[in-house]
Amino acid sequence: MKPAFRIGIDLGGTKIEAMALDSDGGVLLRHRIATPAGDAPATIAAIRDLVEAVETRLGGTGTVGVGTPGSLSPATGLMRNANSTCLNGLALDRLIADALGRPVRIANDANCFALSEAADGAGAGAAVVFGVILGTGVGGGLVIDGKILTGRNAVGGEWGHNPLPWPVGDERPGPDCYCGRTGCIETFLSGPGMARDHLAQTGEDLSGLAIATNAAAGDMAAHATLDRYIDRLARGLAHVVNLVDPDVIVLGGGLSNLSLLYEAVPARWGHWIFSDTVATRLVPPVHGDSSGVRGAAWLWPVT
Ligand SMILES: [Zn+2]
């Protein structure tokens, strides 16, 4: 029987969300539960139960795509780089497929975000879309002609662990990163990275969004932190443009809510982009926090 709908599962550190989409991308239903923390077998059972609950309510069988932190290593077939570390070392696709009795597709959550926004979001109709997550970490995903560029090593778009380009002053060697290197883009452009920078400069311990609020209220120190952030994001994205020259860059994650980024960053990135003009658009997400789960559903084609 032809699948009647597509189910996306967004497997996060604190919650697992399921969403069923119809063939036009319309939401049939969504449901979220808490992630069984640190317990991989319970997490897989929870995914199975979620899918069964969705299918019972909708009265049919769907395709299942799963967005995860980290990714499956092409060399071993096992998960790696997931910050939900209990998943690392598992053949997660096979375990979920066995639990459900059908094939599933798995992709990194930043890739799912980029796919969702490329399919029917802020990058709809564009040939090359780079999706960026600016949240507790920094991730990226590249979608070309509607398909995720997973890459030979399955690290396509993993931009957050490149070094911050064109570093100046005390940006070198930069903060230590959990990946074992120093000065990664993530250490500057994640929410905690922005907070660390502000703390180091001012002694104030504030979240990224609180810094932006203070800057808008006229706080000069917060304004300076935001200005450094904008400059670093412009440099980081200029690197991406020089390499893959996307039509659209879509920001996601908590810091994508900083509306000033969409004018301030393009106003600066031309300084580093190897072109006389820059037509690439920098845009906010259409689907916001739902893009991860929507992109997981989009891992299967329309039937
Ligand atoms: Zn790193």
Side-chain angles (χ1 to χ4, degrees), residues 196-206:
R196 177 204 52 75
D197 179 50
H198 189 72
L199 179 64
Q201 297 291 334
T202 66
E204 281 183 320
D205 192 3
L206 296 175

Side-chain angles (χ1 to χ4, degrees), residues 160-161 177-181 184 186-187:
H161 297 278
C177 184
Y178 78 89
C179 75
R181 301 172 186 88
C184 291
E186 176 165 307
T187 67

Side-chain angles (χ1 to χ4, degrees), residues 61-108:
T61 303
T63 57
V64 179
V66 184
T68 67
S71 62
L72 290 167
S73 162
T76 64
L78 306 177
M79 288 293 292
R80 51 153 191 201
N81 298 341
N83 51 10
S84 300
T85 52
C86 71
L87 303 176
N88 290 326
L90 298 181
L92 193 61
D93 53 343
R94 274 178 277 151
L95 292 168
I96 298 173
D98 287 349
L100 288 170
R102 78 189 85 162
V104 298
R105 292 185 179 175
I106 283 190
N108 170 260

Side-chain angles (χ1 to χ4, degrees), residues 18-290:
M19 180 182 279
L21 299 183
D22 65 21
S23 56
D24 297 324
V27 179
L28 297 170
L29 67 83
R30 62 192 305 173
H31 187 54
R32 63 171 59 180
I33 58 171
T35 304
D39 187 338
T43 298
I44 291 161
I47 291 171
R48 179 200 61 210
D49 293 347
L50 257 181
V51 169
E52 287 177 355
V54 168
E55 293 183 334
T56 299
R57 275 183 54 193
L58 293 179
T61 303
T63 57
V64 179
V66 184
T68 67
S71 62
L72 290 167
S73 162
T76 64
L78 306 177
M79 288 293 292
R80 51 153 191 201
N81 298 341
N83 51 10
S84 300
T85 52
C86 71
L87 303 176
N88 290 326
L90 298 181
L92 193 61
D93 53 343
R94 274 178 277 151
L95 292 168
I96 298 173
D98 287 349
L100 288 170
R102 78 189 85 162
V104 298
R105 292 185 179 175
I106 283 190
N108 170 260
D109 47 16
N111 285 351
C112 289
F113 167 77
L115 181 61
S116 165
E117 291 295 331
D120 66 349
V128 181
V129 177
F130 186 59
V132 177
I133 304 281
L134 301 171
T136 52
V138 171
L142 191 58
V143 174
I144 300 176
D145 294 332
K147 291 203 173 106
I148 295 171
L149 183 77
T150 305
R152 181 66 182 82
N153 305 289
V155 293
E158 282 292 358
W159 164 80
H161 297 278
N162 280 3
L164 182 73
W166 297 286
V168 294
D170 61 3
E171 291 174 346
R172 219 168 355 205
D176 292 337
C177 184
Y178 78 89
C179 75
R181 301 172 186 88
T182 55
C184 291
I185 281 174
E186 176 165 307
T187 67
F188 291 99
L189 295 183
S190 63
M194 187 192 206
R196 177 204 52 75
D197 179 50
H198 189 72
L199 179 64
Q201 297 291 334
T202 66
E204 281 183 320
D205 192 3
L206 296 175
S207 71
L209 294 178
I211 294 164
T213 302
N214 288 2
D219 178 333
M220 290 312 291
H223 186 269
T225 299
L226 204 53
D227 191 70
R228 288 190 298 279
Y229 186 87
I230 288 164
D231 200 77
R232 290 163 179 163
L233 183 56
R235 280 181 268 154
L237 293 178
H239 243 204
V240 173
V241 175
N242 284 342
L243 193 60
V244 295
D245 204 359
D247 298 279
V248 179
I249 298 175
V250 189
L251 301 183
L255 293 174
S256 70
N257 293 312
L258 300 181
S259 56
L260 82 169
L261 296 179
Y262 302 99
E263 283 188 16
V265 171
R268 295 205 198 174
W269 66 14
H271 185 70
W272 295 284
I273 292 173
F274 191 58
S275 173
D276 54 346
T277 60
V278 183
T280 300
R281 292 185 291 125
L282 181 69
V283 293
V286 165
H287 299 299
D289 291 343
S290 296

